[in-house]
Amino acid sequence: MELKSIVLILHVLAVTFGVGGALMLDIYLVRHLRGAVIEERDAAFARYVATFVKIGLVGLWASGLGLLAVAPDGPASVIANPKVQAKLVIVVALTLNALFIETVALPLVERNVGRHLFDGRNELDRTFLLASGAVSSVSWMLPMMLGLARELNHVVPASTILGVYLVLVCLACAGAQVAGRYIYRPQAGGEAQAAPAPRFHVAARQVIEASFAPPGRGPTLMDAFTHHRGTGERGRMAS
């Protein structure tokens, strides 16, 4: 296999990591736009998925530079393509937005564990949180589509592609703001509505002990699972 093919495969994998992680995070957080309380596991999951997005972003830059390095006619021949120029601008915007999410948006979400998404946040915080998610989704999806649309090579000006990008970003941000105003309906009770998530190590210990219990003695695996599930349900009902 040629070196160019290997770098191209890594480039596709990086985009897959980024697009998949960004969309997964946006879809997962939709429930909080409807007013659900943020739990510790929600913040942990957001951090976990954000790691995949960061890996995708670093891989995108590394493999992109690699494609320039292995170009048969040199890097200048690749950069001369208006589509590639537009992609570079979009990836720069994506990188800046990712830095904002990592340093501002995620910490804001983590500080609201036990509360609703926008509790204690002013209008500016709300606007930037919603906009960052919209920009992330568009900025990952469009480069992926441009990479697949080879018929656009040396045909469409970079200004046209960037114009479409700006329109899509504006539409996505407007849609996110509307959703934040009209869909967001926090449940009454705030922290009282948040049932503590069952501790994973407690459940794991019960399952392991049940799995290795001698035949005819002690609880079975199903007993441990049923007991753990019933405890969680009683805790949610009590809250």
PDB file of all heavy atoms in Angstrom, residues 128-167:
ATOM      1  N   PHE A 128     -23.695  31.600  23.767  1.00  0.00           N
ATOM      2  CA  PHE A 128     -22.427  31.020  23.322  1.00  0.00           C
ATOM      3  C   PHE A 128     -22.436  29.486  23.440  1.00  0.00           C
ATOM      4  O   PHE A 128     -21.853  28.795  22.592  1.00  0.00           O
ATOM      5  CB  PHE A 128     -21.271  31.600  24.131  1.00  0.00           C
ATOM      6  CG  PHE A 128     -20.786  32.923  23.619  1.00  0.00           C
ATOM      7  CD1 PHE A 128     -20.887  34.062  24.402  1.00  0.00           C
ATOM      8  CD2 PHE A 128     -20.243  33.043  22.351  1.00  0.00           C
ATOM      9  CE1 PHE A 128     -20.446  35.291  23.925  1.00  0.00           C
ATOM     10  CE2 PHE A 128     -19.804  34.259  21.863  1.00  0.00           C
ATOM     11  CZ  PHE A 128     -19.904  35.390  22.656  1.00  0.00           C
ATOM     12  N   LEU A 129     -23.078  28.953  24.477  1.00  0.00           N
ATOM     13  CA  LEU A 129     -23.158  27.503  24.615  1.00  0.00           C
ATOM     14  C   LEU A 129     -23.902  26.881  23.442  1.00  0.00           C
ATOM     15  O   LEU A 129     -23.466  25.884  22.857  1.00  0.00           O
ATOM     16  CB  LEU A 129     -23.851  27.149  25.925  1.00  0.00           C
ATOM     17  CG  LEU A 129     -23.007  27.196  27.199  1.00  0.00           C
ATOM     18  CD1 LEU A 129     -23.894  26.993  28.428  1.00  0.00           C
ATOM     19  CD2 LEU A 129     -21.928  26.133  27.167  1.00  0.00           C
ATOM     20  N   LEU A 130     -25.030  27.464  23.093  1.00  0.00           N
ATOM     21  CA  LEU A 130     -25.821  26.927  21.989  1.00  0.00           C
ATOM     22  C   LEU A 130     -25.103  27.106  20.657  1.00  0.00           C
ATOM     23  O   LEU A 130     -25.106  26.215  19.804  1.00  0.00           O
ATOM     24  CB  LEU A 130     -27.189  27.615  21.949  1.00  0.00           C
ATOM     25  CG  LEU A 130     -28.116  27.337  23.139  1.00  0.00           C
ATOM     26  CD1 LEU A 130     -29.331  28.253  23.102  1.00  0.00           C
ATOM     27  CD2 LEU A 130     -28.556  25.886  23.136  1.00  0.00           C
ATOM     28  N   ALA A 131     -24.478  28.269  20.482  1.00  0.00           N
ATOM     29  CA  ALA A 131     -23.794  28.536  19.217  1.00  0.00           C
ATOM     30  C   ALA A 131     -22.592  27.618  19.021  1.00  0.00           C
ATOM     31  O   ALA A 131     -22.323  27.167  17.898  1.00  0.00           O
ATOM     32  CB  ALA A 131     -23.353  29.997  19.159  1.00  0.00           C
ATOM     33  N   SER A 132     -21.873  27.317  20.103  1.00  0.00           N
ATOM     34  CA  SER A 132     -20.694  26.468  19.965  1.00  0.00           C
ATOM     35  C   SER A 132     -21.061  25.071  19.479  1.00  0.00           C
ATOM     36  O   SER A 132     -20.346  24.480  18.662  1.00  0.00           O
ATOM     37  CB  SER A 132     -19.951  26.380  21.295  1.00  0.00           C
ATOM     38  OG  SER A 132     -20.751  25.772  22.297  1.00  0.00           O
ATOM     39  N   GLY A 133     -22.176  24.541  19.964  1.00  0.00           N
ATOM     40  CA  GLY A 133     -22.621  23.234  19.486  1.00  0.00           C
ATOM     41  C   GLY A 133     -23.017  23.259  18.030  1.00  0.00           C
ATOM     42  O   GLY A 133     -22.709  22.327  17.266  1.00  0.00           O
ATOM     43  N   ALA A 134     -23.708  24.329  17.614  1.00  0.00           N
ATOM     44  CA  ALA A 134     -24.117  24.445  16.216  1.00  0.00           C
ATOM     45  C   ALA A 134     -22.911  24.579  15.293  1.00  0.00           C
ATOM     46  O   ALA A 134     -22.828  23.933  14.238  1.00  0.00           O
ATOM     47  CB  ALA A 134     -25.049  25.653  16.053  1.00  0.00           C
ATOM     48  N   VAL A 135     -21.953  25.422  15.672  1.00  0.00           N
ATOM     49  CA  VAL A 135     -20.749  25.613  14.860  1.00  0.00           C
ATOM     50  C   VAL A 135     -19.958  24.318  14.751  1.00  0.00           C
ATOM     51  O   VAL A 135     -19.429  23.981  13.682  1.00  0.00           O
ATOM     52  CB  VAL A 135     -19.875  26.733  15.454  1.00  0.00           C
ATOM     53  CG1 VAL A 135     -18.529  26.816  14.734  1.00  0.00           C
ATOM     54  CG2 VAL A 135     -20.593  28.070  15.358  1.00  0.00           C
ATOM     55  N   SER A 136     -19.878  23.568  15.839  1.00  0.00           N
ATOM     56  CA  SER A 136     -19.141  22.312  15.825  1.00  0.00           C
ATOM     57  C   SER A 136     -19.735  21.323  14.830  1.00  0.00           C
ATOM     58  O   SER A 136     -19.002  20.718  14.034  1.00  0.00           O
ATOM     59  CB  SER A 136     -19.136  21.708  17.231  1.00  0.00           C
ATOM     60  OG  SER A 136     -18.466  20.463  17.241  1.00  0.00           O
ATOM     61  N   SER A 137     -21.047  21.170  14.857  1.00  0.00           N
ATOM     62  CA  SER A 137     -21.691  20.211  13.963  1.00  0.00           C
ATOM     63  C   SER A 137     -21.487  20.573  12.496  1.00  0.00           C
ATOM     64  O   SER A 137     -21.103  19.734  11.676  1.00  0.00           O
ATOM     65  CB  SER A 137     -23.189  20.126  14.277  1.00  0.00           C
ATOM     66  OG  SER A 137     -23.396  19.635  15.587  1.00  0.00           O
ATOM     67  N   VAL A 138     -21.723  21.842  12.163  1.00  0.00           N
ATOM     68  CA  VAL A 138     -21.579  22.279  10.767  1.00  0.00           C
ATOM     69  C   VAL A 138     -20.122  22.194  10.323  1.00  0.00           C
ATOM     70  O   VAL A 138     -19.823  21.754   9.201  1.00  0.00           O
ATOM     71  CB  VAL A 138     -22.108  23.713  10.603  1.00  0.00           C
ATOM     72  CG1 VAL A 138     -21.851  24.219   9.183  1.00  0.00           C
ATOM     73  CG2 VAL A 138     -23.601  23.767  10.904  1.00  0.00           C
ATOM     74  N   SER A 139     -19.209  22.593  11.196  1.00  0.00           N
ATOM     75  CA  SER A 139     -17.789  22.637  10.826  1.00  0.00           C
ATOM     76  C   SER A 139     -17.175  21.251  10.674  1.00  0.00           C
ATOM     77  O   SER A 139     -16.111  21.121  10.047  1.00  0.00           O
ATOM     78  CB  SER A 139     -17.000  23.434  11.875  1.00  0.00           C
ATOM     79  OG  SER A 139     -17.480  24.759  11.959  1.00  0.00           O
ATOM     80  N   TRP A 140     -17.789  20.238  11.257  1.00  0.00           N
ATOM     81  CA  TRP A 140     -17.323  18.867  11.033  1.00  0.00           C
ATOM     82  C   TRP A 140     -17.990  18.251   9.801  1.00  0.00           C
ATOM     83  O   TRP A 140     -17.346  17.535   9.033  1.00  0.00           O
ATOM     84  CB  TRP A 140     -17.605  17.993  12.247  1.00  0.00           C
ATOM     85  CG  TRP A 140     -16.562  18.048  13.305  1.00  0.00           C
ATOM     86  CD1 TRP A 140     -16.656  18.612  14.543  1.00  0.00           C
ATOM     87  CD2 TRP A 140     -15.239  17.505  13.230  1.00  0.00           C
ATOM     88  NE1 TRP A 140     -15.483  18.464  15.234  1.00  0.00           N
ATOM     89  CE2 TRP A 140     -14.590  17.785  14.457  1.00  0.00           C
ATOM     90  CE3 TRP A 140     -14.543  16.815  12.250  1.00  0.00           C
ATOM     91  CZ2 TRP A 140     -13.283  17.390  14.712  1.00  0.00           C
ATOM     92  CZ3 TRP A 140     -13.240  16.414  12.507  1.00  0.00           C
ATOM     93  CH2 TRP A 140     -12.621  16.709  13.724  1.00  0.00           C
ATOM     94  N   MET A 141     -19.264  18.522   9.623  1.00  0.00           N
ATOM     95  CA  MET A 141     -20.000  17.886   8.531  1.00  0.00           C
ATOM     96  C   MET A 141     -19.568  18.406   7.160  1.00  0.00           C
ATOM     97  O   MET A 141     -19.402  17.634   6.217  1.00  0.00           O
ATOM     98  CB  MET A 141     -21.497  18.100   8.720  1.00  0.00           C
ATOM     99  CG  MET A 141     -22.105  17.357   9.897  1.00  0.00           C
ATOM    100  SD  MET A 141     -22.037  15.558   9.690  1.00  0.00           S
ATOM    101  CE  MET A 141     -23.129  15.352   8.281  1.00  0.00           C
ATOM    102  N   LEU A 142     -19.388  19.723   7.045  1.00  0.00           N
ATOM    103  CA  LEU A 142     -19.092  20.291   5.724  1.00  0.00           C
ATOM    104  C   LEU A 142     -17.748  19.834   5.166  1.00  0.00           C
ATOM    105  O   LEU A 142     -17.675  19.444   3.991  1.00  0.00           O
ATOM    106  CB  LEU A 142     -19.167  21.824   5.784  1.00  0.00           C
ATOM    107  CG  LEU A 142     -19.091  22.522   4.425  1.00  0.00           C
ATOM    108  CD1 LEU A 142     -20.201  22.029   3.504  1.00  0.00           C
ATOM    109  CD2 LEU A 142     -19.185  24.042   4.596  1.00  0.00           C
ATOM    110  N   PRO A 143     -16.645  19.841   5.932  1.00  0.00           N
ATOM    111  CA  PRO A 143     -15.394  19.306   5.372  1.00  0.00           C
ATOM    112  C   PRO A 143     -15.505  17.847   4.944  1.00  0.00           C
ATOM    113  O   PRO A 143     -14.882  17.434   3.959  1.00  0.00           O
ATOM    114  CB  PRO A 143     -14.397  19.476   6.534  1.00  0.00           C
ATOM    115  CG  PRO A 143     -14.933  20.596   7.331  1.00  0.00           C
ATOM    116  CD  PRO A 143     -16.423  20.456   7.255  1.00  0.00           C
ATOM    117  N   MET A 144     -16.280  17.064   5.689  1.00  0.00           N
ATOM    118  CA  MET A 144     -16.463  15.674   5.297  1.00  0.00           C
ATOM    119  C   MET A 144     -17.152  15.586   3.935  1.00  0.00           C
ATOM    120  O   MET A 144     -16.729  14.818   3.054  1.00  0.00           O
ATOM    121  CB  MET A 144     -17.290  14.937   6.348  1.00  0.00           C
ATOM    122  CG  MET A 144     -17.514  13.462   6.026  1.00  0.00           C
ATOM    123  SD  MET A 144     -18.696  12.660   7.139  1.00  0.00           S
ATOM    124  CE  MET A 144     -20.213  13.482   6.647  1.00  0.00           C
ATOM    125  N   MET A 145     -18.187  16.401   3.750  1.00  0.00           N
ATOM    126  CA  MET A 145     -18.908  16.386   2.464  1.00  0.00           C
ATOM    127  C   MET A 145     -18.035  16.923   1.342  1.00  0.00           C
ATOM    128  O   MET A 145     -18.079  16.419   0.210  1.00  0.00           O
ATOM    129  CB  MET A 145     -20.201  17.192   2.596  1.00  0.00           C
ATOM    130  CG  MET A 145     -21.230  16.537   3.504  1.00  0.00           C
ATOM    131  SD  MET A 145     -22.824  17.388   3.532  1.00  0.00           S
ATOM    132  CE  MET A 145     -22.383  18.878   4.409  1.00  0.00           C
ATOM    133  N   LEU A 146     -17.230  17.940   1.639  1.00  0.00           N
ATOM    134  CA  LEU A 146     -16.339  18.482   0.611  1.00  0.00           C
ATOM    135  C   LEU A 146     -15.293  17.449   0.199  1.00  0.00           C
ATOM    136  O   LEU A 146     -14.926  17.363  -0.985  1.00  0.00           O
ATOM    137  CB  LEU A 146     -15.641  19.742   1.132  1.00  0.00           C
ATOM    138  CG  LEU A 146     -16.522  20.985   1.294  1.00  0.00           C
ATOM    139  CD1 LEU A 146     -15.734  22.108   1.944  1.00  0.00           C
ATOM    140  CD2 LEU A 146     -17.076  21.439  -0.048  1.00  0.00           C
ATOM    141  N   GLY A 147     -14.806  16.680   1.166  1.00  0.00           N
ATOM    142  CA  GLY A 147     -13.835  15.655   0.835  1.00  0.00           C
ATOM    143  C   GLY A 147     -14.393  14.583  -0.091  1.00  0.00           C
ATOM    144  O   GLY A 147     -13.668  14.025  -0.924  1.00  0.00           O
ATOM    145  N   LEU A 148     -15.687  14.301   0.053  1.00  0.00           N
ATOM    146  CA  LEU A 148     -16.312  13.285  -0.796  1.00  0.00           C
ATOM    147  C   LEU A 148     -16.692  13.842  -2.177  1.00  0.00           C
ATOM    148  O   LEU A 148     -16.786  13.078  -3.131  1.00  0.00           O
ATOM    149  CB  LEU A 148     -17.567  12.745  -0.100  1.00  0.00           C
ATOM    150  CG  LEU A 148     -17.326  11.984   1.212  1.00  0.00           C
ATOM    151  CD1 LEU A 148     -18.657  11.617   1.864  1.00  0.00           C
ATOM    152  CD2 LEU A 148     -16.495  10.738   0.974  1.00  0.00           C
ATOM    153  N   ALA A 149     -16.908  15.138  -2.253  1.00  0.00           N
ATOM    154  CA  ALA A 149     -17.357  15.750  -3.516  1.00  0.00           C
ATOM    155  C   ALA A 149     -16.148  16.111  -4.376  1.00  0.00           C
ATOM    156  O   ALA A 149     -15.742  17.282  -4.470  1.00  0.00           O
ATOM    157  CB  ALA A 149     -18.212  16.969  -3.222  1.00  0.00           C
ATOM    158  N   ARG A 150     -15.562  15.130  -4.990  1.00  0.00           N
ATOM    159  CA  ARG A 150     -14.375  15.363  -5.815  1.00  0.00           C
ATOM    160  C   ARG A 150     -14.689  16.189  -7.073  1.00  0.00           C
ATOM    161  O   ARG A 150     -13.781  16.797  -7.654  1.00  0.00           O
ATOM    162  CB  ARG A 150     -13.754  14.027  -6.225  1.00  0.00           C
ATOM    163  CG  ARG A 150     -13.229  13.214  -5.050  1.00  0.00           C
ATOM    164  CD  ARG A 150     -12.527  11.950  -5.505  1.00  0.00           C
ATOM    165  NE  ARG A 150     -11.955  11.219  -4.399  1.00  0.00           N
ATOM    166  CZ  ARG A 150     -10.770  11.471  -3.843  1.00  0.00           C
ATOM    167  NH1 ARG A 150     -10.031  12.458  -4.339  1.00  0.00           N
ATOM    168  NH2 ARG A 150     -10.324  10.771  -2.819  1.00  0.00           N
ATOM    169  N   GLU A 151     -15.938  16.206  -7.492  1.00  0.00           N
ATOM    170  CA  GLU A 151     -16.303  16.977  -8.688  1.00  0.00           C
ATOM    171  C   GLU A 151     -16.176  18.479  -8.463  1.00  0.00           C
ATOM    172  O   GLU A 151     -16.245  19.264  -9.434  1.00  0.00           O
ATOM    173  CB  GLU A 151     -17.729  16.640  -9.127  1.00  0.00           C
ATOM    174  CG  GLU A 151     -18.829  16.997  -8.132  1.00  0.00           C
ATOM    175  CD  GLU A 151     -19.077  15.895  -7.127  1.00  0.00           C
ATOM    176  OE1 GLU A 151     -18.237  14.974  -7.031  1.00  0.00           O
ATOM    177  OE2 GLU A 151     -20.114  15.954  -6.452  1.00  0.00           O
ATOM    178  N   LEU A 152     -16.000  18.899  -7.208  1.00  0.00           N
ATOM    179  CA  LEU A 152     -15.839  20.321  -6.915  1.00  0.00           C
ATOM    180  C   LEU A 152     -14.395  20.791  -7.022  1.00  0.00           C
ATOM    181  O   LEU A 152     -14.128  21.993  -6.932  1.00  0.00           O
ATOM    182  CB  LEU A 152     -16.366  20.631  -5.507  1.00  0.00           C
ATOM    183  CG  LEU A 152     -17.848  20.347  -5.237  1.00  0.00           C
ATOM    184  CD1 LEU A 152     -18.212  20.719  -3.810  1.00  0.00           C
ATOM    185  CD2 LEU A 152     -18.734  21.092  -6.223  1.00  0.00           C
ATOM    186  N   ASN A 153     -13.469  19.858  -7.199  1.00  0.00           N
ATOM    187  CA  ASN A 153     -12.052  20.220  -7.286  1.00  0.00           C
ATOM    188  C   ASN A 153     -11.794  21.173  -8.448  1.00  0.00           C
ATOM    189  O   ASN A 153     -12.162  20.891  -9.604  1.00  0.00           O
ATOM    190  CB  ASN A 153     -11.186  18.968  -7.466  1.00  0.00           C
ATOM    191  CG  ASN A 153     -11.145  18.129  -6.203  1.00  0.00           C
ATOM    192  OD1 ASN A 153     -11.333  18.623  -5.106  1.00  0.00           O
ATOM    193  ND2 ASN A 153     -10.904  16.830  -6.364  1.00  0.00           N
ATOM    194  N   HIS A 154     -11.172  22.337  -8.132  1.00  0.00           N
ATOM    195  CA  HIS A 154     -10.775  23.328  -9.139  1.00  0.00           C
ATOM    196  C   HIS A 154     -11.977  23.843  -9.941  1.00  0.00           C
ATOM    197  O   HIS A 154     -11.794  24.338 -11.055  1.00  0.00           O
ATOM    198  CB  HIS A 154      -9.737  22.748 -10.099  1.00  0.00           C
ATOM    199  CG  HIS A 154      -8.497  22.270  -9.409  1.00  0.00           C
ATOM    200  ND1 HIS A 154      -7.523  23.107  -8.914  1.00  0.00           N
ATOM    201  CD2 HIS A 154      -8.080  21.003  -9.105  1.00  0.00           C
ATOM    202  CE1 HIS A 154      -6.548  22.398  -8.356  1.00  0.00           C
ATOM    203  NE2 HIS A 154      -6.869  21.121  -8.449  1.00  0.00           N
ATOM    204  N   VAL A 155     -13.163  23.727  -9.402  1.00  0.00           N
ATOM    205  CA  VAL A 155     -14.364  24.181 -10.117  1.00  0.00           C
ATOM    206  C   VAL A 155     -15.052  25.307  -9.360  1.00  0.00           C
ATOM    207  O   VAL A 155     -15.329  26.374  -9.924  1.00  0.00           O
ATOM    208  CB  VAL A 155     -15.353  23.004 -10.336  1.00  0.00           C
ATOM    209  CG1 VAL A 155     -16.642  23.506 -10.961  1.00  0.00           C
ATOM    210  CG2 VAL A 155     -14.717  21.928 -11.203  1.00  0.00           C
ATOM    211  N   VAL A 156     -15.370  25.087  -8.098  1.00  0.00           N
ATOM    212  CA  VAL A 156     -16.088  26.066  -7.288  1.00  0.00           C
ATOM    213  C   VAL A 156     -15.085  26.943  -6.543  1.00  0.00           C
ATOM    214  O   VAL A 156     -14.166  26.419  -5.897  1.00  0.00           O
ATOM    215  CB  VAL A 156     -17.018  25.356  -6.277  1.00  0.00           C
ATOM    216  CG1 VAL A 156     -17.781  26.378  -5.438  1.00  0.00           C
ATOM    217  CG2 VAL A 156     -17.982  24.439  -7.007  1.00  0.00           C
ATOM    218  N   PRO A 157     -15.249  28.270  -6.593  1.00  0.00           N
ATOM    219  CA  PRO A 157     -14.331  29.162  -5.873  1.00  0.00           C
ATOM    220  C   PRO A 157     -14.419  28.965  -4.367  1.00  0.00           C
ATOM    221  O   PRO A 157     -15.467  28.590  -3.828  1.00  0.00           O
ATOM    222  CB  PRO A 157     -14.813  30.566  -6.280  1.00  0.00           C
ATOM    223  CG  PRO A 157     -15.610  30.361  -7.520  1.00  0.00           C
ATOM    224  CD  PRO A 157     -16.226  28.998  -7.407  1.00  0.00           C
ATOM    225  N   ALA A 158     -13.313  29.239  -3.684  1.00  0.00           N
ATOM    226  CA  ALA A 158     -13.297  29.112  -2.234  1.00  0.00           C
ATOM    227  C   ALA A 158     -14.292  30.057  -1.585  1.00  0.00           C
ATOM    228  O   ALA A 158     -14.908  29.729  -0.563  1.00  0.00           O
ATOM    229  CB  ALA A 158     -11.886  29.390  -1.709  1.00  0.00           C
ATOM    230  N   SER A 159     -14.467  31.242  -2.161  1.00  0.00           N
ATOM    231  CA  SER A 159     -15.408  32.216  -1.599  1.00  0.00           C
ATOM    232  C   SER A 159     -16.840  31.683  -1.611  1.00  0.00           C
ATOM    233  O   SER A 159     -17.613  31.938  -0.684  1.00  0.00           O
ATOM    234  CB  SER A 159     -15.335  33.525  -2.378  1.00  0.00           C
ATOM    235  OG  SER A 159     -15.616  33.310  -3.758  1.00  0.00           O
ATOM    236  N   THR A 160     -17.201  30.937  -2.638  1.00  0.00           N
ATOM    237  CA  THR A 160     -18.549  30.364  -2.711  1.00  0.00           C
ATOM    238  C   THR A 160     -18.748  29.319  -1.622  1.00  0.00           C
ATOM    239  O   THR A 160     -19.781  29.290  -0.944  1.00  0.00           O
ATOM    240  CB  THR A 160     -18.786  29.729  -4.089  1.00  0.00           C
ATOM    241  OG1 THR A 160     -18.634  30.730  -5.105  1.00  0.00           O
ATOM    242  CG2 THR A 160     -20.189  29.132  -4.176  1.00  0.00           C
ATOM    243  N   ILE A 161     -17.758  28.455  -1.457  1.00  0.00           N
ATOM    244  CA  ILE A 161     -17.855  27.412  -0.429  1.00  0.00           C
ATOM    245  C   ILE A 161     -17.938  28.036   0.960  1.00  0.00           C
ATOM    246  O   ILE A 161     -18.753  27.632   1.788  1.00  0.00           O
ATOM    247  CB  ILE A 161     -16.658  26.463  -0.515  1.00  0.00           C
ATOM    248  CG1 ILE A 161     -16.648  25.742  -1.873  1.00  0.00           C
ATOM    249  CG2 ILE A 161     -16.685  25.440   0.618  1.00  0.00           C
ATOM    250  CD1 ILE A 161     -15.429  24.869  -2.102  1.00  0.00           C
ATOM    251  N   LEU A 162     -17.108  29.050   1.206  1.00  0.00           N
ATOM    252  CA  LEU A 162     -17.123  29.705   2.512  1.00  0.00           C
ATOM    253  C   LEU A 162     -18.426  30.468   2.724  1.00  0.00           C
ATOM    254  O   LEU A 162     -18.918  30.569   3.858  1.00  0.00           O
ATOM    255  CB  LEU A 162     -15.928  30.642   2.645  1.00  0.00           C
ATOM    256  CG  LEU A 162     -14.562  29.964   2.711  1.00  0.00           C
ATOM    257  CD1 LEU A 162     -13.437  30.987   2.736  1.00  0.00           C
ATOM    258  CD2 LEU A 162     -14.477  29.058   3.933  1.00  0.00           C
ATOM    259  N   GLY A 163     -18.996  31.005   1.650  1.00  0.00           N
ATOM    260  CA  GLY A 163     -20.291  31.667   1.763  1.00  0.00           C
ATOM    261  C   GLY A 163     -21.374  30.690   2.180  1.00  0.00           C
ATOM    262  O   GLY A 163     -22.215  30.994   3.042  1.00  0.00           O
ATOM    263  N   VAL A 164     -21.366  29.500   1.571  1.00  0.00           N
ATOM    264  CA  VAL A 164     -22.321  28.460   1.967  1.00  0.00           C
ATOM    265  C   VAL A 164     -22.093  28.057   3.419  1.00  0.00           C
ATOM    266  O   VAL A 164     -23.047  27.854   4.181  1.00  0.00           O
ATOM    267  CB  VAL A 164     -22.187  27.238   1.031  1.00  0.00           C
ATOM    268  CG1 VAL A 164     -23.037  26.073   1.533  1.00  0.00           C
ATOM    269  CG2 VAL A 164     -22.591  27.614  -0.389  1.00  0.00           C
ATOM    270  N   TYR A 165     -20.827  27.958   3.802  1.00  0.00           N
ATOM    271  CA  TYR A 165     -20.494  27.597   5.193  1.00  0.00           C
ATOM    272  C   TYR A 165     -21.061  28.622   6.168  1.00  0.00           C
ATOM    273  O   TYR A 165     -21.657  28.252   7.192  1.00  0.00           O
ATOM    274  CB  TYR A 165     -18.979  27.495   5.327  1.00  0.00           C
ATOM    275  CG  TYR A 165     -18.488  27.375   6.746  1.00  0.00           C
ATOM    276  CD1 TYR A 165     -18.735  26.227   7.500  1.00  0.00           C
ATOM    277  CD2 TYR A 165     -17.763  28.415   7.340  1.00  0.00           C
ATOM    278  CE1 TYR A 165     -18.276  26.115   8.804  1.00  0.00           C
ATOM    279  CE2 TYR A 165     -17.299  28.298   8.642  1.00  0.00           C
ATOM    280  CZ  TYR A 165     -17.569  27.155   9.370  1.00  0.00           C
ATOM    281  OH  TYR A 165     -17.108  27.058  10.655  1.00  0.00           O
ATOM    282  N   LEU A 166     -20.894  29.891   5.876  1.00  0.00           N
ATOM    283  CA  LEU A 166     -21.399  30.937   6.768  1.00  0.00           C
ATOM    284  C   LEU A 166     -22.920  30.891   6.866  1.00  0.00           C
ATOM    285  O   LEU A 166     -23.494  31.080   7.948  1.00  0.00           O
ATOM    286  CB  LEU A 166     -20.942  32.316   6.284  1.00  0.00           C
ATOM    287  CG  LEU A 166     -19.457  32.635   6.463  1.00  0.00           C
ATOM    288  CD1 LEU A 166     -19.117  33.992   5.867  1.00  0.00           C
ATOM    289  CD2 LEU A 166     -19.077  32.602   7.938  1.00  0.00           C
ATOM    290  N   VAL A 167     -23.576  30.638   5.745  1.00  0.00           N
ATOM    291  CA  VAL A 167     -25.040  30.539   5.757  1.00  0.00           C
ATOM    292  C   VAL A 167     -25.489  29.362   6.620  1.00  0.00           C
ATOM    293  O   VAL A 167     -26.409  29.484   7.441  1.00  0.00           O
ATOM    294  CB  VAL A 167     -25.585  30.397   4.319  1.00  0.00           C
ATOM    295  CG1 VAL A 167     -27.078  30.054   4.343  1.00  0.00           C
ATOM    296  CG2 VAL A 167     -25.361  31.684   3.539  1.00  0.00           C
TER     297      VAL A 167
END
